[in-house]
C-alpha cells in the first residue's frame, strides 16, 4: 500500500483537485445517464401508447365503417329489387356496393343461412386486385347465428382467410328476408398498412396463452421463417422489444389479438447520447484542471519547501539562520512566527535539559544524572562508594506540619549535603532520598564525619525538629559485573536493613538479597498454596498428667512446597498477616483439623484438637460463624475443638474480643489463652475473658529444672488459674524432671519435645500404637 501513499503537499493538492473533478464528472455523467434512461423509458412508453391508440382507432373505424355501410346497402331498394331476379344481376349489384368501400368480401344470405351470393377479391400475379365468386356461394353459412345481429362486426374465417365482417338484415316491410354483409381481409397488407400508420410492427395471432398461431404480419416472412419467433416477441424474456397485445375478438372459442411490437434498439437509435463527445469533453476538462492544479500547488508549496529547509537546519542544531518567505500575507506571517518559534525552542530546550537531569524541588542532579555518573565511573574503572541516604520521620513531618514544611526540610538537608567538604557528588532521588558518590575510602570515618555535618535542628512554627539519618552503602568493587542500577538496588537494600534494625548505617551484604528474594517468593506463592492445598497439618500431642493419657493435640500448619520442600510456619505466618491472607489460612487449618477430628473419631480415637486463631479472626465476625457452621455440619460434640488465641489479640480490643469469645463459648468451643505471660494482659482483663484454659509460654517452662524463678512464676500461674477455675497447659517440656514437677503442681496438660515433636497425621497414628502413654479413645 505504500506505493499509493501521497507524501508531498503538491501531490495532495493535485490529488484533491483531481478527486473533486472526478466527483463532479461522475455526478454529471450519472445525471446524464439517468436522464437518458428516463428519456428512453418515456419515449418507449409514448411510442407504444400512441401506436396502440392509432391501431385501435383504425380498427374501430373499419368496424364502424363496415357496419354502417352494410346497413345502408341492406336498405338499398335497387339491391332489393334484383334480389328475386337472376343471381347474376344480384352479384353485379352486390359488386357495385363492394367497390364503394373497396371491401374484400361481399355476401348475401337467406333466412335459412344459405349463401346465395358471395364475392371475394384476389391479387393477380401483376399485383392487380380482381373479384370472383367465393367458394362459399351455394353453401350454408357455417358461423354462429350471433353474426346475424344488427350492426355486429365479427371476425370470421372464410375460404382459409380471416375477415373482419359486418352483416345487416334485408327487410321487406317488417319481415326479414335475408342478410347482406361486407368484410375486410386481415392479412399482411392490413398489417403493413397499420404498421405504417403506427410506426411499429404489427402481427395478428390466433390462440391463448403460449399457444399462438401467426395469421398475418408486416414482417411475415421473418416471423414465418423463424428469424423472429412471435412467441419470443410476446414473452420478451431478454427485454429486447416493447410490445402490447390488443384483443380483437373470438374465433371458434379462440382469441384473436394484434401484437404491436418494436425493437428497443430501433426505437432508441434516434435518442442515443453522443458518449464519445461527452468523453472528449471530460478529458479536456481534466487536462485543463490538472494544469491549473499544478500551478496552484507549486505556488503554495514553494514557501513551504523553504520552511522545511529551515527545519532541517534546526534539527541539526543550527539555530543561527532565519527564514524569509516572499508571497502572500499569510505565508509572510507564517515565516515570522516560525522564526519566533525557533527562538522559543532554544530557550525551552535549555529548560527541558535542566529539568531532565535535576530535581524540580532541590535543583540537585536527579536519577538521570546519577545513572550517567555511575556509567561514567564504571567505564573509567574507578572504585567508589554508593551511599543512599534518607532522614527519618519524613511522613510524620508532612502529615503534622504540611507539605510546605516538608519541602523546606528537604531543601535544608540538600543545602547541608552540598556544603559538606567531603568531596561527595550529591543526587536527589525525590522526597527524603539522596544518593552520594564517594571515592573508595574507609567507610566508618566517612560516615561519622558526614552524619556530624548533617545533624541539624530545624525550627518550624515553634516546633524544633531534630533530624536523624540512615545510610545504606554499596561498594562498587563487589559488583563490577552488574548494571549501574544494581548498585542503587544494593544500596537501597542496605538502607532498608539499617532502618529496620535502627542502625545509623549498613554496608550491603549479599545475604540481604537472598533473604529478600526468598521472602518475595513465598509472598507471591502463599495464595496459590492455600488455593491448591499445598498446606499440611502436623499434630503435637498433649499429655493429660492426671492419668498420663494422650487426650489432646495441637494442630500446627506446615507448607509442603513442590520446589522448596517443607516450610515451617515462622517463614510464612507473618507474610499471611501482612498480605491479608491470614483469614484464608486459618479457615484452611480449621477445615483440615475438623476433617481430621472426624476421621479419628471413626477410628475410635477421642482426641481434642487445638487450633491457633489470630487477632484478625477474633476481630472478624465471619470466622466464628464459619467455625460454628463446621461444628454443626459435622455434628461435633462440645469441647471437641479448642481455639487458642494469643494475649496480644485479646489486648488489642478487649471489648470486641470478649464478645466474640463469648459467642464461640456459647456454641460449645473450648477457649485457651496462648503464650500466657509474654503479653500485656492484666488480671482484670483475664477475669472478664470467657476462656477455659491458660497456656504457659515455653520460655517459663524450658528451664524449670534449673531456674527457681521460673518455678515461682509457673507455680503462681497455676494457683491463679486454678483459683479462677481454669485449666493449664504447659508447653516446651524438654525433660522428665519438668514433667514430673508440673504433675506434682496439678498442671492439667503438658506439651513438648520430651513427649513428642509435631507429627503428620499418619505418623502420629503410628506413634500412638507404640507410645508408653495411654490413648483417649471413644466409648463403644
Amino acid at each position: 500500500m505504500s506505493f499509493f501513499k501521497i507524501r508531498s503537499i503538491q501531490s495532495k493538492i493535485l490529488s484533491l483537485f483531481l478527486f473533486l473533478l472526478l466527483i463532479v464528472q461522475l455526478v454529471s455523467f450519472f445525471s446524464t445517464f439517468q436522464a437518458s434512461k428516463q428519456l428512453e423509458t418515456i419515449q418507449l412508453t409514448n411510442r407504444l401508447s400512441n401506436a396502440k391508440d392509432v391501431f385501435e382507432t383504425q380498427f374501430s373505424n373499419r368496424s364502424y365503417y363496415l357496419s354502417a355501410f352494410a346497413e345502408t346497402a341492406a336498405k338499398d331498394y335497387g339491391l332489393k329489387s334484383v334480389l328475386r331476379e337472376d343471381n347474376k344481376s344480384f352479384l353485379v349489384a352486390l359488386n357495385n356496393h363492394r367497390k364503394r368501400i373497396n371491401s374484400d368480401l361481399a355476401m348475401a344470405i337467406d333466412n335459412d343461412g344459405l349463401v346465395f351470393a358471395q364475392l371475394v377479391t384476389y391479387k393477380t400475379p401483376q399485383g392487380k386486385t380482381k373479384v370472383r365468386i367465393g367458394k362459399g356461394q351455394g353453401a350454408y353459412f357455417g358461423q354462429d347465428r350471433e353474426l346475424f345481429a344488427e350492426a355486429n362486426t365479427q371476425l370470421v374465417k372464410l375460404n382459409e382467410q380471416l375477415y373482419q365482417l359486418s352483416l345487416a338484415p334485408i327487410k321487406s316491410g317488417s319481415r326479414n328476408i335475408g342478410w347482406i354483409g361486407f368484410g375486410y381481409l386481415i392479412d399482411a397488407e392490413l398489417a403493413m398498412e397499420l404498421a405504417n400508420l403506427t410506426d411499429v410492427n404489427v402481427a395478428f395471432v390466433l390462440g391463448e396463452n403460449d399457444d399462438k398461431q401467426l395469421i398475418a404480419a408486416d414482417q411475415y416472412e421473418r416471423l414465418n421463417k423463424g428469424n423472429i419467433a412471435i412467441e419470443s416477441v410476446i414473452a420478451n424474456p431478454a427485454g429486447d422489444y416493447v410490445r402490447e397485445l390488443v384483443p380483437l375478438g373470438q374465433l371458434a372459442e379462440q382469441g384473436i389479438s394484434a401484437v404491436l411490437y418494436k425493437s428497443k434498439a430501433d426505437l432508441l437509435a434516434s435518442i442515443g447520447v453522443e458518449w464519445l463527445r461527452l468523453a472528449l469533453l471530460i478529458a479536456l476538462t481534466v487536462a485543463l484542471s490538472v494544469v491549473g492544479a499544478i500551478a496552484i500547488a507549486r505556488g503554495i508549496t514553494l514557501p513551504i519547501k523553504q520552511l522545511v529547509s529551515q527545519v532541517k537546519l534546526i534539527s541539526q542544531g543550527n539555530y543561527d539562520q532565519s527564514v524569509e518567505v516572499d508571497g502572500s500575507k499569510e505565508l509572510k506571517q507564517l515565516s515570522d512566527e516560525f522564526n519566533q518559534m525557533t527562538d522559543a525552542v532554544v530557550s525551552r530546550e535549555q529548560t527541558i535539559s535542566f529539568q531532565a537531569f535535576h530535581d524540580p524541588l532541590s535543583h540537585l542532579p536527579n536519577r538521570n544524572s546519577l545513572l550517567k555518573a555511575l556509567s561514567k565511573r564504571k567505564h573509567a574503572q574507578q572504585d567508589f562508594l554508593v551511599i543512599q541516604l534518607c532522614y527519618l520521620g519524613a511522613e510524620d513531618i508532612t502529615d503534622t506540619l504540611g507539605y510546605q514544611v516538608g519541602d523546606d526540610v528537604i531543601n535544608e538537608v540538600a543545602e547541608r549535603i552540598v556544603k559538606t567538604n567531603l568531596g561527595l557528588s550529591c543526587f536527589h532521588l525525590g522526597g527524603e532520598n539522596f544518593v552520594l558518590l564517594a571515592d573508595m575510602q574507609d567507610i566508618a570515618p566517612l560516615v561519622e564525619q558526614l552524619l556530624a555535618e548533617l545533624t541539624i535542628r530545624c525550627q518550624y512554627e515553634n516546633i524544633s525538629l531534630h533530624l536523624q539519618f540512615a545510610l545504606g552503602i554499596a561498594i562498587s568493587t563487589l559488583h563490577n559485573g552488574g548494571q549501574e542500577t544494581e548498585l542503587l538496588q544494593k544500596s537501597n537494600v542496605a538502607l532498608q536493613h539499617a532502618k529496620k534494625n535502627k542502625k545509623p548505617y549498613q554496608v550491603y551484604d549479599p545475604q540481604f538479597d537472598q533473604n529478600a528474594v526468598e521472602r518475595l517468593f513465598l509472598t507471591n506463592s502463599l495464595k496459590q498454596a492455600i488455593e491448591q492445598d499445598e498446606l499440611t497439618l502436623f499434630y503435637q500431642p498433649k499429655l493429660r498428667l492426671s492419668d498420663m493419657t494422650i487426650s489432646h493435640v495441637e494442630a500446627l500448619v506446615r507448607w509442603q512446597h513442590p520446589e522448596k520442600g517443607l516450610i515451617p510456619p515462622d517463614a510464612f505466618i507473618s507474610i499471611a498477616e501482612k498480605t491479608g491472607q491470614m483469614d484464608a489460612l486459618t479457615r484452611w487449618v480449621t477445615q483440615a483439623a475438623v476433617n481430621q477430628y472426624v476421621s479419628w473419631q471413626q477410628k475410635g480415637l477421642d482426641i481434642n484438637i487445638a487450633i491457633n486463631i489470630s487477632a484478625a479472626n477474633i476481630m472478624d465476625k465471619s470466622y466464628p460463624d464459619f467455625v460454628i457452621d463446621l461444628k454443626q455440619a459435622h455434628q461435633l460434640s462440645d469441647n471437641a475443638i479448642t481455639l487458642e488465641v494469643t494475649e496480644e489479640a485479646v489486648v488489642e480490643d478487649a471489648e470486641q474480643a470478649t464478645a466474640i469469645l463469648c459467642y464461640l463459648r456459647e456454641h460449645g468451643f473450648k477457649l485457651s489463652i496462648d503464650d500466657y505471660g509474654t503479653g500485656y494482659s492484666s488480671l482484670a482483663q483475664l477475669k472478664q475473658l470467657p476462656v477455659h484454659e491458660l497456656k504457659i509460654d515455653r520460655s517459663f517452662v524450658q528451664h524449670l529444672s534449673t531456674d527457681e524463678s521460673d518455678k515461682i512464676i509457673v507455680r503462681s500461674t497455676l494457683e491463679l488459674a486454678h483459683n479462677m477455675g481454669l485449666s493449664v497447659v504447659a508447653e516446651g517440656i524438654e525433660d522428665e524432671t519438668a514433667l514430673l514437677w508440673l504433675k506434682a503442681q496439678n498442671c492439667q496438660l503438658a506439651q513438648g519435645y520430651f513427649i513428642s515433636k509435631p507429627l503428620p497425621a499418619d505418623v502420629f497414628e503410628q506413634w500412638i500404637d507404640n507410645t508408653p502413654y495411654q490413648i483417649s479413645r471413644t466409648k463403644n
Side-chain angles (χ1 to χ4, degrees), residues 727-743:
S727 61
V728 179
V729 180
E731 64 174 345
I733 297 174
E734 305 293 343
D735 52 57
E736 187 177 12
T737 302
L739 180 66
L740 295 176
W741 185 87
L742 288 167
K743 182 176 181 181

Side-chain angles (χ1 to χ4, degrees), residues 292-589:
I294 292 174
I296 295 172
R298 285 182 176 177
I300 295 175
T301 57
L302 182 60
I304 296 177
K305 288 180 179 179
Q306 292 177 306
L307 293 174
V308 169
S309 178
Q310 178 67 10
V311 169
K312 290 181 178 179
L313 292 175
I314 293 175
S315 65
Q316 296 170 1
N318 186 351
Y319 302 106
D320 298 331
Q321 297 185 12
S322 61
V323 62
E324 296 292 335
V325 174
D326 296 328
S328 65
K329 177 182 178 182
E330 290 80 4
L331 291 175
K332 176 64 175 175
Q333 183 180 0
L334 177 61
S335 67
D336 293 340
E337 293 294 334
F338 192 86
N339 291 329
Q340 294 180 19
M341 181 193 70
T342 302
D343 297 336
V345 166
V346 174
S347 176
R348 193 173 297 114
E349 187 177 86
Q350 294 172 349
T351 302
I352 292 173
S353 178
F354 181 83
Q355 291 176 347
F357 292 96
H358 292 79
D359 182 79
L361 178 61
S362 65
H363 301 302
L364 288 177
N366 61 7
R367 181 184 179 86
N368 294 330
S369 297
L370 174 59
L371 293 178
K372 289 178 66 176
L374 288 173
S375 178
K376 183 177 179 181
R377 283 180 179 257
K378 180 179 178 181
H379 286 93
Q381 297 182 346
Q382 298 176 354
D383 295 334
F384 58 96
L385 302 175
V386 178
I387 305 172
Q388 193 154 172
L389 173 150
C390 74
Y391 61 90
L392 306 179
E395 291 184 0
D396 293 336
I397 293 173
T398 302
D399 293 342
T400 304
L401 301 177
Y403 285 100
Q404 182 59 51
V405 173
D407 291 346
D408 291 342
V409 173
I410 291 172
N411 285 327
E412 181 71 23
V413 173
E415 185 177 350
R416 289 264 181 166
I417 294 174
V418 172
K419 290 180 179 180
T420 59
N421 297 317
L422 300 176
L424 303 175
S425 299
C426 180
F427 303 87
H428 187 195
L429 301 189
E432 71 274 19
N433 299 300
F434 298 84
V435 173
L436 310 177
L437 299 184
D439 294 336
M440 192 63 191
Q441 54 189 290
D442 290 338
I443 295 176
L446 174 63
V447 171
E448 183 179 355
Q449 186 176 355
L450 177 61
L451 291 177
E453 295 194 26
L454 289 181
T455 300
I456 58 176
R457 188 177 297 274
C458 306
Q459 193 75 22
Y460 295 100
E461 299 181 2
N462 299 322
I463 297 177
S464 180
L465 301 178
H466 179 70
L467 300 183
Q468 294 180 323
F469 294 84
L471 287 76
I473 303 171
I475 303 172
S476 65
T477 53
L478 300 180
H479 313 287
N480 286 333
Q483 299 293 327
E484 293 83 358
T485 54
E486 184 177 346
L487 282 171
L488 287 180
Q489 186 261 335
K490 306 302 183 189
S491 64
N492 184 62
V493 170
L495 174 63
Q496 300 307 318
H497 195 274
K499 292 166 65 176
K500 179 179 179 181
N501 293 280
K502 299 180 180 180
K503 299 170 63 176
Y505 76 96
Q506 177 67 55
V507 179
Y508 172 78
D509 187 323
Q511 186 65 32
F512 298 161
D513 266 347
Q514 182 177 351
N515 294 338
V517 171
E518 181 74 16
R519 187 173 182 82
L520 180 61
F521 175 80
L522 295 180
T523 300
N524 292 331
S525 304
L526 181 57
K527 185 175 186 295
Q528 176 181 334
I530 298 173
E531 293 174 348
Q532 298 187 1
D533 212 23
E534 293 178 3
L535 304 176
T536 186
L537 288 183
F538 279 40
Y539 300 91
Q540 187 171 28
K542 295 180 182 180
L543 181 64
R544 189 167 62 204
L545 295 176
S546 61
D547 56 3
M548 303 302 281
T549 300
I550 302 297
S551 58
H552 295 68
V553 294
E554 181 179 4
L556 301 170
V557 67
R558 302 289 189 270
W559 183 353
Q560 188 64 52
H561 196 279
E563 299 176 7
K564 301 290 184 178
L566 193 65
I567 302 175
D570 293 344
F572 62 87
I573 291 297
S574 60
I575 294 175
E577 292 175 343
K578 291 181 179 179
T579 57
Q581 299 184 71
M582 198 62 203
D583 181 65
L585 178 61
T586 306
R587 287 172 186 253
W588 185 94
V589 171

Side-chain angles (χ1 to χ4, degrees), residues 107-108 113-120 133-142 158-159:
M107 59 188 302
L114 178 68
V115 179
F116 61 87
Q118 187 180 69
L119 297 175
V120 296
I133 296 173
K135 295 180 181 180
Q137 185 171 313
Y140 283 96
F141 188 56
L158 299 174
N159 305 325

